[in-house]
Amino acid sequence: MEPPTVIIVGAGAGGIATAARLAKREYKVTVVEKNEAVGGRCSLMEENGYRFDRGPSLVLMPEYFDEVFHDLDTSMSAEGVDLLKCDPNYRIYYADAAPLDLTTDLAAMQSVIEAHEGPSGFERFLQFLVESGRHYNLSRAHVLWANFPHWFSMLRPRMACNLLRLHPFESVYARAARYFTSHRLRQALTFASMYLGMNPFDAPATYSLLQYAEFAYGIWYPRGGFRTILDALTRISERHGATYRLSTPVSRITLSADNCRATGVELSTGETLTADTVIINADLIYAYTHLLPPTRYATSLTKRETSCSSITFFWSLSTTLPTLSAHNVFLPSTGEYKESFDAIFKQKHIPANPAFYIHVPSRVDPSAAPQGKDAAVVLVPVGNLGGSNATEKQTNAYWAAIVVRVRQAVLSALQDRIGVDVEPLLVSETVETPLTWQQRCNLDRGAILGLSHSFFNVLGFRPKVRHPQVKGLFFVGASTHPGTGVPVCLAGSLIVFREVVRDFERRGKGVFGVKGVGLVFVLVVLVAWLWPVDWRWV
């Protein structure tokens, strides 16, 4: 019997992990990717000895990475992936206070907490970790490994019993405010909602699980850059027979004559590839609106709330900036914290004094820059390409003017807070904007993390891993269940893998399958019981 054939559109984290799982199952897997390298949003940029992570720059929740490799009968270390511990986790720079380090060293954290909260503050910090740890463990047990094919899937007894314990109807910031009186600590322990591209004043409190993950498991960086993890998964999938076709854009998903089953993909060259199953790892909204026939559901997706976008500066520096840690967060003044997020997520424009993040990979991995020099990635969250001026945002001229203003704000903040004029130290600079993300990764509205994680965009309300009308068509990645972020997409690869395997097993058992035959038997018995027959005439 011929092995089932699968085409995966997109070589992002979810697509590669799904390819590896299916290839290990001896499915014949082909991955088609529009860009010249695997990784999707997890790509690398290299220039004159400097290396930059374009997307994720740290490994959070490492157990999710370990589990994928374990399922593939190997490990990260066996595949040459070397994780380096980042300590501190972050260095927080305030506009109106001294820097603050967040670390997994609880003795050091006690001093930090008590300096802002007083002698009783550390006990409240530990209580906060207990709650956020509960969010982490409940989400892991009932959400991240489970499929939610319908909204009423949320009524499963265990899920329903624990829903309120996840505090989905309070915000991350409001929940943190129950434990901390210091505005600076509230900010330091809530900004991580930006991992989801969300406003901490709107993100469900469930996502304080991110803080637990940081303090319990730490933050890590893969030697050689984040993409080394996906390169390792790619090699594993190829060992099991998967094939990758890079620089191969897809123009549409091909369907049966009645539009009820996926049959393959048509490439931009006109070539058609056929398969039993198609899995889309491209941006979900883009897939529904550009790769599939138009539907009312596809239109509704374009109206859903999405994450923010970003302006990113990639700086090659002529020297090191030893004041900076590997991960640095620059926050606006206390009075501007909420307003800055409102500007990004509600008005969808640029705050007057934007918050930003600087990743210095060479601080933990010297191979990221020439000796005695630093590579630095400056990420400034900005509104996506939606909003009242969406048309204007589609022009390069609009973003050129914005980049000049944002760049000056970043340079001024660095001058004020670390005492260094960085501009003369720049050897080279590359800039990416929301338009770049939209064009390079086909991201709807340039939203770097896909659909939002607001309550009505998660669980049973989030787009499903299985297309509701087209058989043999599945989705994996940021905008489908279980959600965004590399560890979550890796968890999603297991959900999709199980659904695809179940789909083929059902096909192999004919129209009814074992369960179907059993159901027919039960119905016959029930009819006979409700409608007695005079067996003398039979």
Side-chain angles (χ1 to χ4, degrees), residues 37-51:
V38 302
R41 280 166 263 197
C42 305
S43 60
L44 289 175
M45 179 188 299
E46 297 184 77
E47 182 182 79
N48 299 323
Y50 295 87
R51 189 190 66 241

Side-chain angles (χ1 to χ4, degrees), residues 125-170:
F125 171 71
L126 295 178
Q127 291 169 347
F128 171 76
L129 286 185
V130 168
E131 178 178 288
S132 57
R134 185 181 304 120
H135 292 167
Y136 182 92
N137 291 319
L138 288 174
S139 297
R140 178 175 169 81
H142 302 298
V143 178
L144 295 179
W145 300 114
N147 194 17
F148 284 76
H150 311 286
W151 69 264
F152 48 82
S153 302
M154 295 185 291
L155 300 179
R156 293 169 185 153
R158 290 186 178 180
M159 184 66 207
C161 290
N162 287 293
L163 185 62
L164 293 181
R165 300 177 72 201
L166 291 168
H167 302 103
F169 305 114
E170 292 183 78

Side-chain angles (χ1 to χ4, degrees), residues 26 34 40 59 75 77 80 91 116 136 140 240 248 267 293 335 340 345 375 381 417 433 444 491 500 504 510 538:
E26 298 186 349
K34 75 181 286 285
V59 170
S75 66
S77 59
R91 181 160 293 155
H116 289 83
Y136 182 92
R140 178 175 169 81
H240 288 291
T248 307
L267 307 181
S340 66
F345 292 97
R417 301 188 206 183
T433 68
D444 180 68
V500 171
F504 276 113
V538 175

Side-chain angles (χ1 to χ4, degrees), residues 262-473:
T263 60
V265 299
E266 182 180 306
L267 307 181
S268 60
T269 59
E271 180 184 359
T272 298
L273 307 178
T274 60
D276 299 313
T277 292
V278 176
I279 302 172
I280 298 180
N281 184 221
D283 180 73
L284 181 138
I285 300 178
Y286 175 85
Y288 266 101
T289 56
H290 290 79
L291 303 182
L292 290 165
T295 61
R296 187 175 300 174
Y297 180 68
T299 301
S300 73
L301 287 174
T302 65
K303 299 175 182 178
R304 288 207 191 189
E305 182 183 359
T306 59
S307 76
C308 65
S309 191
S310 70
I311 292 174
T312 310
F313 301 91
F314 302 91
W315 287 347
S316 301
L317 299 169
S318 61
T319 185
T320 61
L321 299 177
T323 307
L324 296 178
S325 184
H327 305 288
N328 309 270
V329 178
F330 288 73
L331 297 175
S333 63
T334 300
E336 295 178 305
Y337 186 66
K338 185 177 187 303
E339 287 74 10
S340 66
F341 285 108
D342 286 344
I344 294 170
F345 292 97
K346 295 181 179 179
Q347 288 83 48
K348 291 185 169 50
H349 63 70
I350 316 300
N353 295 301
F356 58 94
Y357 159 77
I358 299 184
H359 175 222
V360 186
S362 46
R363 190 64 66 251
V364 65
D365 178 7
S367 70
Q371 186 174 4
K373 301 177 182 181
D374 271 340
V377 180
V378 183
L379 188 152
V380 185
V382 299
N384 59 43
L385 296 174
S388 58
N389 59 338
T391 302
E392 184 183 9
K393 288 181 178 179
Q394 291 292 336
T395 65
N396 290 319
Y398 174 87
W399 289 106
I402 294 295
V403 164
V404 170
R405 179 159 67 86
V406 169
R407 183 178 187 273
Q408 188 53 52
V410 169
L411 291 171
S412 296
L414 290 172
Q415 177 77 67
D416 293 341
R417 301 188 206 183
I418 69 171
V420 177
D421 182 4
V422 173
E423 189 162 23
L425 307 178
L426 295 179
V427 175
S428 67
E429 174 185 73
T430 301
V431 183
E432 294 190 340
T433 68
L435 272 183
T436 308
W437 282 109
Q438 183 185 54
Q439 294 161 2
R440 184 162 55 85
C441 294
N442 288 336
L443 300 185
D444 180 68
R445 285 165 275 179
I448 55 175
L449 293 164
L451 285 176
S452 165
H453 278 67
S454 57
F455 181 77
F456 289 104
N457 260 337
V458 295
L459 302 175
F461 301 116
R462 201 166 185 82
K464 311 301 182 283
V465 300
R466 182 191 291 268
H467 193 286
Q469 281 87 39
V470 180
K471 295 179 181 179
L473 183 58

Side-chain angles (χ1 to χ4, degrees), residues 1-6 25-29 276-277 500 504:
M1 181 177 176
E2 287 293 318
T5 55
V6 178
R25 186 88 175 195
E26 298 186 349
Y27 285 31
K28 187 176 180 181
V29 180
D276 299 313
T277 292
V500 171
F504 276 113

Side-chain angles (χ1 to χ4, degrees), residues 453-533:
H453 278 67
S454 57
F455 181 77
F456 289 104
N457 260 337
V458 295
L459 302 175
F461 301 116
R462 201 166 185 82
K464 311 301 182 283
V465 300
R466 182 191 291 268
H467 193 286
Q469 281 87 39
V470 180
K471 295 179 181 179
L473 183 58
F474 299 83
F475 300 88
V476 66
S479 289
T480 191
H481 177 75
T484 195
V486 175
V488 179
C489 289
L490 295 180
S493 74
L494 179 59
I495 296 173
V496 174
F497 165 74
R498 288 171 174 166
E499 289 296 306
V500 171
V501 171
R502 185 179 296 118
D503 194 49
F504 276 113
E505 288 177 348
R506 285 172 179 166
R507 292 190 208 179
K509 292 171 184 174
V511 177
F512 293 110
V514 173
K515 292 182 180 178
V517 171
L519 179 60
V520 170
F521 177 76
V522 170
L523 288 174
V524 169
V525 172
L526 185 61
V527 169
W529 179 66
L530 293 174
W531 188 8
V533 177

